Amino acid sequence: MKHTLRGRLTRFLLASALVSGLTALLLTNAALYSTFYNYKEAVQLQSASDFSEYASRVYQLNDGWTGKTLTMLLAYPGTDEFSFRIYDTQELMVMNSQLRPDRVSFHQNMMRRMGRNAMFFQSRFYDGTNVVEDIVINGETIGTVELVYPSTFSVDTAELDFTSGVNRSLLMSLAIALGLSGLLSAYLSKLLSRPIVNLTEVTKSIRNGHFGRRAEERQSVRELTELSGAVNDLAETLSHQSEIRKRLTSDLAHELRTPLTIIQGQLDAILEGIFEATPDRLLVARSETERLIGLVERLREIADLEDDTVELTYDDIDLTVIVRDVLTLFEADAMTRAQTLTSDLAFSLPMVGDAHRLRQVLVNLLSNAVKYTPDGGRIHVETGTIGSSEAFLKVFNSGAGIAPEDLPFLFDRFYRADVSRHRETGGSGIGLTIVKLIVDAHHGRIEVHSPAGEGTTFTVILPLQPSS
């Protein structure tokens, strides 16, 4: 069973909060009881020192270890927490005391409760403790006193209540932290999962062909905003591609139907005896057949270039020579339409490339320039170098230019920026696709600059040497 992102995020954040809370609880507990232990140890040592001083004064007051000395020692405040043994300099015990059993039981019970409060540090609070201190009078040691505690140290109810209260506060803080973490986890998981669910629905709609659906781009997380933008860009591209595909189908049908209709009309007329099968009639059918074959060949050429099945034939060539030769092919067409065809070519532009393919590039670009330049307009061709490693070829034609929304799709097969104008000028709509594929095969690039009303410039940039 697959878990939802929201459920996983909630469980992960809760688990993180629980681990963090328990770690903080244990560390705080350890620090508290370690400090408390050291404090009580210091108290015991101070008590032993104070009792030793009291014993020395009592000893001097009674001139020795007498019965009255013992009575006064038993009256010392705190002797209900420990028993004591006093030894002389010969290590012979001269007097001692015993705690009442009920006091021993009381201290041990208090220490067990303290150990439970200390969680994983219980063992430090169970064993009894002996503290030894010298008895000194006027700088001379007259004996030692040993304080015997029935447990690690003695605690009173106030101290026990304090440590218990601290633990309860820690546990309560942990519970509150977990509750707040649960609420925060639910909010964050919803915050992150909701836009992802929305994106999933949008992508499903796009998959089903509803390209007008868009995701909300204003998200609280930058990555989700970028993802939403990418999905919307994809939808926009698919929408354009869908339109191009529909247009491609329509245009391809038109390109095929026109010559086929002419051929069929000619053949039907001959078969029905309306026309004789004269060479002129047959030439019309042959011309349209060649037109169909040319269209099919260009489509196959695009497929081969896209699949990298056509290998370029690299030779040492002069790009300027190729451009001059191609320009002569279009001089007559330009003169017929009163167009001005000018050039500004480098004297010589040696490079390594496929002369036949590069000639195709210029033929297609100039063919489009002549078609789409109004009568009396201007066409200008320019070549040169960029630095020491690249050559450029520019083809400019005057006219209305190309709409900005059409520029990204100019090199898509059968795409036409102006369908009505294309019907008038003819062409298959795949010339620029071939241009782009040939330039890419040379590891070059092609750019289009077309300000509104200022004409169009195609710039081809090619490496002077082929890429390794």
Side-chain angles (χ1 to χ4, degrees):
M1 178 181 178
K2 294 184 178 179
H3 301 283
T4 63
L5 174 64
R6 184 173 180 178
R8 288 196 173 191
L9 282 173
T10 301
R11 287 191 294 273
F12 173 77
L13 292 173
L14 278 175
S16 299
L18 179 60
V19 171
S20 300
L22 287 175
T23 302
L25 176 64
L26 293 177
L27 292 176
T28 303
N29 187 272
L32 170 67
Y33 283 94
S34 177
T35 303
F36 189 78
Y37 183 92
N38 294 334
Y39 160 72
K40 294 302 290 187
E41 234 182 7
V43 169
Q44 285 181 335
L45 292 174
Q46 186 62 45
S47 295
S49 176
D50 292 343
F51 188 79
S52 171
E53 292 181 5
Y54 178 73
S56 66
R57 291 198 299 272
V58 171
Y59 178 88
Q60 293 180 76
L61 184 62
N62 295 293
D63 294 327
W65 306 113
T66 65
K68 189 175 181 180
T69 302
L70 178 59
T71 300
M72 294 180 68
L73 289 175
L74 291 174
Y76 181 80
T79 51
D80 59 344
E81 296 180 0
F82 56 83
S83 60
F84 60 85
R85 304 188 188 100
I86 295 179
Y87 300 89
D88 61 15
T89 55
Q90 303 301 318
E91 296 187 356
L92 296 177
M93 186 170 62
V94 294
M95 57 181 58
N96 68 330
S97 70
Q98 295 292 331
L99 278 179
R100 298 195 314 271
D102 61 320
R103 295 303 298 173
V104 173
S105 177
F106 170 80
H107 286 301
Q108 291 177 343
N109 181 56
M110 295 285 281
M111 196 51 54
R112 278 192 296 271
R113 293 172 61 186
M114 179 65 73
R116 285 194 295 270
N117 287 342
M119 296 184 182
F120 294 104
F121 308 94
Q122 300 175 15
S123 60
R124 300 182 65 180
F125 301 106
Y126 285 158
D127 298 332
T129 304
N130 292 12
V131 182
V132 178
E133 187 74 23
D134 289 338
I135 301 174
V136 179
I137 298 176
N138 297 327
E140 180 183 354
T141 300
I142 64 168
T144 58
V145 61
E146 180 182 14
L147 304 187
V148 181
Y149 291 87
S151 56
T152 307
F153 47 74
S154 60
V155 294
D156 55 30
T157 54
E159 291 172 329
L160 186 61
D161 290 342
F162 168 76
T163 55
S164 298
V166 169
N167 270 341
R168 283 194 299 271
S169 298
L170 291 173
L171 290 172
M172 187 176 297
S173 299
L174 177 61
I176 293 173
L178 287 176
L180 293 175
S181 298
L183 294 175
L184 183 60
S185 300
Y187 171 74
L188 288 176
S189 60
K190 183 178 180 180
L191 186 68
L192 293 175
S193 64
R194 184 165 55 186
I196 293 176
V197 171
N198 175 256
L199 282 172
T200 302
E201 293 175 352
V202 171
T203 53
K204 286 181 179 178
S205 296
I206 295 172
R207 181 190 63 187
N208 293 329
H210 304 296
F211 301 124
R213 183 79 182 271
R214 295 292 182 270
E216 174 61 47
E217 292 193 28
R218 296 180 63 184
Q219 305 289 350
S220 56
V221 180
R222 185 181 66 183
E223 288 79 2
L224 290 176
T225 299
E226 293 175 354
L227 178 59
S228 298
V231 170
N232 288 341
D233 290 342
L234 175 62
E236 189 70 25
T237 301
L238 290 175
S239 178
H240 280 289
Q241 292 296 331
S242 177
E243 292 298 321
I244 292 171
R245 185 178 68 252
K246 293 176 182 177
R247 187 183 296 180
L248 183 151
T249 304
S250 173
D251 291 346
L252 184 57
H254 173 83
E255 295 295 338
L256 295 174
R257 183 174 60 249
T258 301
L260 287 173
T261 301
I262 294 174
I263 294 170
Q264 183 184 26
Q266 293 290 328
L267 293 176
D268 286 345
I270 292 173
L271 290 173
E272 293 175 4
I274 299 174
F275 297 137
E276 292 183 9
T278 63
D280 290 340
R281 298 292 181 187
L282 294 177
L283 281 175
V284 171
R286 178 184 174 85
S287 175
E288 294 302 319
T289 302
E290 289 176 347
R291 179 180 170 187
L292 283 174
I293 292 173
L295 176 61
V296 172
E297 285 297 317
R298 299 190 86 183
L299 289 172
R300 184 185 61 80
E301 186 177 17
I302 289 177
D304 291 342
L305 287 169
E306 286 180 336
D307 294 339
D308 294 329
T309 56
V310 174
E311 293 185 2
L312 299 180
T313 302
Y314 284 102
D315 292 306
D316 292 328
I317 61 174
D318 190 330
L319 186 61
T320 298
V321 172
I322 294 174
V323 174
R324 286 200 183 102
D325 289 343
V326 174
L327 282 171
T328 60
L329 300 178
F330 292 90
E331 287 178 348
D333 289 341
M335 290 177 62
T336 300
R337 300 186 58 182
Q339 295 169 343
T340 303
L341 179 59
T342 60
S343 62
D344 181 10
L345 308 180
F347 177 76
S348 177
L349 192 50
M351 60 175 294
V352 177
D354 189 319
H356 170 67
R357 296 294 183 184
L358 293 178
R359 182 184 177 89
Q360 275 185 280
V361 169
L362 187 56
V363 166
N364 279 307
L365 292 177
L366 277 175
S367 176
N368 282 346
V370 171
K371 287 177 185 177
Y372 299 125
T373 299
D375 293 350
R378 185 169 64 91
I379 301 170
H380 181 72
V381 180
E382 182 180 349
T383 62
T385 58
I386 301 174
S388 59
S389 61
E390 292 180 320
F392 72 84
L393 165 65
K394 291 185 178 181
V395 178
F396 165 80
N397 69 283
S398 61
I402 302 170
E405 61 270 18
D406 292 317
L407 287 176
F409 309 102
L410 280 183
F411 300 104
D412 292 342
R413 63 184 69 179
F414 291 101
Y415 186 83
R416 290 152 184 148
D418 188 338
V419 177
S420 61
R421 186 172 64 171
H422 173 79
R423 297 302 187 200
E424 298 171 358
T425 58
S428 60
I430 56 178
L432 288 179
T433 304
I434 293 176
V435 168
K436 179 71 163 56
L437 291 171
I438 292 174
V439 172
D440 288 344
H442 279 82
H443 302 287
R445 60 190 185 276
I446 184 167
E447 301 169 354
V448 186
H449 184 62
S450 187
E454 298 182 17
T456 302
T457 302
F458 285 87
T459 303
V460 175
I461 301 172
L462 299 165
L464 295 176
Q465 295 291 329
S467 172
S468 60

